[in-house]
Amino acid sequence: MVEFENVSKIYQSGQPAVDRLNLSVEAGKITVFVGPSGCGKTTSLRMVNKMVEPTSGSITVDGRDVSGIRAHELRRSMGYVMQQAGLLPHRTVLSNVATVLRLNKVPRVQARSRALEMLETVGLSASMAARYPHQLSGGQQQRVGVARALAADPPVLLMDEPFSAVDPVVRAELQQELLRLQRELAKTIIFVTHDIDEATILGDKVAVFASGGRVAQYAPPEEILRAPVNDFVAGFVGRDRGFRRLSFAAGGSVPIHPATTALWDEDARNASGGWVLAVDVEDRPVGWWAPGAGHDAQDALVPGGSLFQAGGTLRAALDAALSSPSGLGVAVDAAGKVTGVVDAGEVLAAIDAARESRR
Ligand code: ADP
Ligand code: MG
């Protein structure tokens, strides 16, 4: 556990970069520091491994005050990953990862095999090991940075905007990889980002920093989206926070009604007076027939919207309902068979109920 107690940092002149920070970082979890640029996230992070000395206050790691621990000893117990992976350009990927181990006096052969193992852990093939950093993509370099930070198996991992310089697709991939790794490794991670989406995806808890180096809110992501404590947090989290929150809530409470279905290549009239869902012989949805449409099979078929998979979220349920031409979202099981339909009004009511029950 990392504990900040009344920690302030004032660089040479005037304004505090970090102002009386009080915060407990839970062991084995991902804590995200998020906020606009210049609000003291990096400074706060760097005080943990003594790259920056606090002006006042104390930081303890597992009860030990870091001011009493020598910097090199402290850093051995903490991996550090930055935005530009910070790899040594004239060393191979393998050597970059093994270097930390060598500094820790791990014998060469052992260091190399551990480094190879770490590359595999972060999803890089052994064929990358002999390359130089400039021969890798930005995303691959970041993976090497993570492998290097994890090589000595430190209990604490400090990550400063590690994915900010890669494109959004790779970034999403790296986020998922980090979550997967964390399920196995359960490190104490402090992760800095300026991106609220990244914060809510990764954080077990999120600290929203405001300018002047003050933490405006420290809470689980779902709570920050649901109940921002002030206008600053609300503004930072954005207008669509209500919608973002849905990704966290299970859709199990949404009633699923029986669907009126017909085989898509059947040539019967739609006499039901309502929308009819066309399905294939496996009961998978194909499209909709409007009320009264004489369904000459394909011709009158209106394409359907997104599907609500069993076990999906309220967001998926609402997506399905709103994207369907009938206003009814199609619910399917894991095999893609239709299990029924959900009604947009009822999904919205379920969202309201979820909001109430979390108050
Ligand atoms: P963030 O990571 O949230 O962008 P920083 O911790 O890097 O914020 O910076 C917080 C404030 O401290 C900013 O106003 C920045 O200009 C200032 N600052 C950061 N590092 C230094 C430094 N080494 N010397 C003087 N001022 C600094
Ligand atoms: Mg920063």
Side-chain angles (χ1 to χ4, degrees), residues 1-21:
M1 200 232 279
V2 180
E3 191 105 38
F4 293 82
E5 279 173 61
N6 239 2
V7 174
S8 295
K9 174 67 186 180
I10 300 170
Y11 291 103
Q12 301 86 345
S13 62
Q15 298 307 309
V18 175
D19 190 10
R20 286 162 288 167
L21 178 61

Side-chain angles (χ1 to χ4, degrees), residues 11-12 17 36-44 192:
Y11 291 103
Q12 301 86 345
S37 170
C39 61
K41 306 181 296 294
T42 294
T43 300
S44 298
V192 167

